[in-house]
Amino acid sequence: MEYQFIFSYFLFPFRGLKLLSLEKTQIKIWFFARLIVILSPVMKIYTKTGDKGMTSLADGRRVEKKCERLEAYGTIDELNSQLGLLMTYCTDEKDKRFLTEIQRVLFIIGGSLAGAKTDKALSAESMEAEIDRLTAIVEEAQEDKRFHFILPGGSRAAAIAHVCRTVCRRAERAMLKAKSEKLKVKSEDGDLDGMLRYVNRLSDYLFILARKLNVDNNTKDVFV
């Protein structure tokens, strides 16, 4: 019965068609493609290998989940998730596109911290250009041109941007701890100094983005 079902599954796409009109090679390709779908094991989300507080780095080394490297790339993952939440409150498509690119870079950084080899060089130049662009927008909209400390908050989007900023600062501190740990990031894992520069500049960007989001939402910054 089971084999009849599988055979029927293979032939289902051909029902109502003239098989003779298809090339034999086409039929074979389709058949084996369907066979792979049927026989391939479904990948499980859980592995049970981390139930005792240990996990594997990308290079196969087993480490405790409390080690500094895991704290570093775990915090990068947290930051990436917070940026995803932030984008749901952004209305400017240019901001959304730039944040999406940041998420992709953070994915590379997280992988490098986890031991994945990468030769991608990170540059903070595009971040600095975007900081300058947003700063000009904020300064133009700001009535009081004097320097002020501001309280995190304002619009919902700005408040979440400030949360992202503080998580970013925590990620930077965690990366610095990982740099000095016994299982420190190796040179072939990626340019840690470049990653640190990028994350440091990212926190500056998130600060000015929060202010720009208040401008977008016609909400004034709250000064200390």
Side-chain angles (χ1 to χ4, degrees):
M1 193 64 160
E2 181 180 352
Y3 295 107
Q4 289 177 348
F5 169 77
I6 294 175
F7 186 72
S8 174
Y9 180 80
F10 289 144
L11 293 183
F12 179 79
F14 299 120
R15 289 177 183 174
L17 298 175
K18 293 182 179 179
L19 292 178
L20 294 178
S21 66
L22 296 174
E23 295 288 340
K24 289 183 179 180
T25 302
Q26 290 177 308
I27 296 174
K28 287 180 180 179
I29 291 173
W30 184 267
F31 180 87
F32 284 110
R34 305 290 276 197
L35 182 64
I36 290 171
V37 171
I38 284 290
L39 300 182
S40 294
V42 178
M43 181 179 176
K44 292 184 177 180
I45 297 298
Y46 58 89
T47 62
K48 299 182 181 181
T49 58
D51 290 351
K52 295 183 179 180
M54 300 289 289
T55 191
S56 296
L57 296 176
D59 59 9
R61 284 179 292 174
R62 296 287 290 174
V63 297
E64 292 183 315
K65 290 185 176 181
K66 64 182 181 180
C67 82
E68 298 295 351
R69 284 187 68 144
L70 263 73
E71 185 63 33
Y73 71 73
T75 310
I76 290 292
D77 185 33
E78 180 185 350
L79 172 58
N80 217 336
S81 300
Q82 292 283 6
L83 290 176
L85 174 62
L86 172 60
M87 282 192 287
T88 65
Y89 291 100
C90 291
T91 56
D92 188 327
E93 289 300 320
K94 189 167 186 177
D95 290 337
K96 288 182 181 180
R97 287 194 298 271
F98 195 76
L99 286 167
T100 299
E101 287 306 310
I102 290 172
Q103 285 190 302
R104 292 194 176 102
V105 173
L106 289 178
F107 199 88
I108 293 171
I109 292 175
S112 297
L113 292 170
K117 295 181 180 180
T118 178
D119 55 1
K120 184 175 179 63
L122 299 181
S123 172
E125 289 182 6
S126 62
M127 187 83 67
E128 291 168 355
E130 189 66 3
I131 289 172
D132 293 340
R133 185 184 75 85
L134 298 186
T135 300
I137 293 173
V138 171
E139 288 180 347
E140 184 179 354
Q142 190 174 336
E143 296 175 1
D144 188 346
K145 304 297 183 182
R146 294 175 299 173
F147 174 81
H148 293 282
F149 288 105
I150 66 170
L151 296 177
S155 65
R156 185 180 294 271
I160 296 174
H162 279 296
V163 172
C164 291
R165 174 181 60 80
T166 57
V167 175
C168 187
R169 287 296 191 194
R170 177 153 50 86
E172 182 183 5
R173 295 192 298 270
M175 289 169 68
L176 285 168
K177 289 180 181 178
K179 186 177 181 180
S180 60
E181 192 188 33
K182 183 173 67 173
L183 288 171
K184 64 182 181 180
V185 181
K186 298 176 293 184
S187 59
E188 59 264 30
D189 294 339
D191 176 16
L192 182 58
D193 289 335
M195 296 178 205
L196 283 166
R197 247 188 332 269
Y198 185 90
V199 172
N200 183 37
R201 207 69 78 252
L202 176 55
S203 60
D204 297 330
Y205 163 77
L206 290 169
F207 173 79
I208 196 63
L209 176 63
R211 300 197 65 189
K212 189 262 185 182
L213 290 170
N214 273 340
V215 172
D216 290 346
N217 289 278
N218 297 314
T219 304
K220 290 184 177 181
D221 289 323
V222 180
F223 298 125
V224 175

